[in-house]
Amino acid sequence: MSHQPTLGLIGSGKIGGALARLAVDAGLNVVLSNSRGPETLADLVAELGPQARAATPAEAAAAGDWVVVTIPLKNYRQVPVAPLAGKVVLDTANYYPDRDGSIAELDAEEVTTSELLQRHLPDSKIVKAFNNIWVNHLISLARPAGSPDRSVLPIAGDATDAKAAATQLLDLIGFDALDTGSLADSWRFQRDTPAYVGLYFKDPQNKTVEDPGGPMSAETMRAALAAAQRPNA
């Protein structure tokens, strides 16, 4: 990328805000957006500094070399389609029926959340990422490349070049990527699986908000992914 790389964010809640901070720290430009309008992000943009600006979701989509969609799953059809054509889109969604309403295909384990987004964005390249780690640990476990205590995050996608681009983003913001396969395979690190959230706690038996997180090796993550079971399979 000859220009200053840019991370676009559709959704600027806890995960989006954390990724924006990590991206700015890594020297990237950041364009944030949410459903409520750019003016509601003024405080976050001021905190992040001159590398960050707020925009509409369509503008953030158009600006990003990578675009992260980090919104409640129930709102995925509101993601702008045209400006994301040809782009690498990282999807952080998790399915919570109490929040999102019941989605029959997900209840039956017929598709994954990222496959739903891929259907909505047929000309984009979806990569599942950032959905299996608590936001505090996303910040606390980021490490420079080569650090012995660097953690892995699982990713999944159907396009090899998109997964390579996602791996580059993860590397820039402080994590190694572990390729787990296709979007259909991404259920292995969805909610209520062994690889989901708890694995990154330093003390998994006593999960507290003060927990600083512990480094996650590829070996440990592979074992957790292998142990996942689909309840309706």
Side-chain angles (χ1 to χ4, degrees):
M1 298 172 186
S2 58
H3 67 296
Q4 181 75 357
T6 297
L7 178 66
L9 289 159
I10 297 177
S12 299
K14 291 182 179 180
I15 291 288
L19 290 173
R21 289 177 177 88
L22 292 172
V24 165
D25 289 346
L28 302 178
N29 290 329
V30 175
V31 181
L32 302 112
S33 70
N34 63 16
S35 61
R36 294 175 293 131
E39 65 281 356
T40 65
L41 295 167
D43 289 346
L44 179 56
V45 168
E47 176 190 332
L48 292 169
Q51 290 165 239
R53 65 183 176 91
T56 66
E59 289 165 343
D65 296 290
W66 313 265
V67 180
V68 177
V69 172
T70 179
I71 60 176
L73 178 64
K74 64 182 178 181
N75 297 329
Y76 79 90
R77 290 184 181 88
Q78 298 174 19
V79 175
V81 177
L84 289 172
K87 300 231 176 191
V88 175
V89 177
L90 289 85
D91 168 39
T92 78
N94 289 303
Y95 175 41
Y96 291 96
D98 290 348
R99 176 197 66 189
D100 300 316
S102 179
I103 300 174
E105 288 175 292
L106 294 177
D107 292 337
E109 302 275 350
E110 293 171 355
V111 297
T112 62
T113 57
S114 291
E115 286 178 299
L116 289 181
L117 185 62
Q118 182 67 80
R119 277 188 210 166
H120 176 66
L121 301 172
D123 297 320
S124 304
K125 298 177 181 180
I126 308 299
V127 178
K128 190 71 171 187
F130 303 123
N131 70 297
N132 78 315
I133 185 169
W134 185 39
V135 64
N136 290 29
H137 292 159
L138 188 59
I139 293 290
S140 67
L141 292 177
R143 298 286 187 278
S147 298
D149 61 343
R150 208 180 206 211
S151 292
V152 301
L153 290 172
I155 64 170
D158 295 339
T160 301
D161 58 339
K163 287 191 281 190
T167 297
Q168 179 193 24
L169 175 63
L170 266 65
D171 182 51
L172 287 169
I173 65 173
F175 292 89
D176 291 335
L178 180 63
D179 185 350
T180 69
S182 68
L183 293 180
D185 298 319
S186 63
W187 67 269
R188 289 189 176 276
F189 53 101
Q190 69 186 12
R191 182 173 60 88
D192 296 336
T193 60
Y196 186 74
V197 179
L199 209 59
Y200 292 91
F201 277 79
K202 187 173 184 179
D203 182 4
Q205 305 307 315
N206 183 33
K207 300 184 182 75
T208 67
V209 293
E210 291 81 20
D211 187 287
M216 176 51 50
S217 69
E219 181 182 17
T220 299
M221 180 56 68
R222 285 193 185 98
L225 293 164
Q229 296 183 351
R230 299 190 94 157
N232 297 313

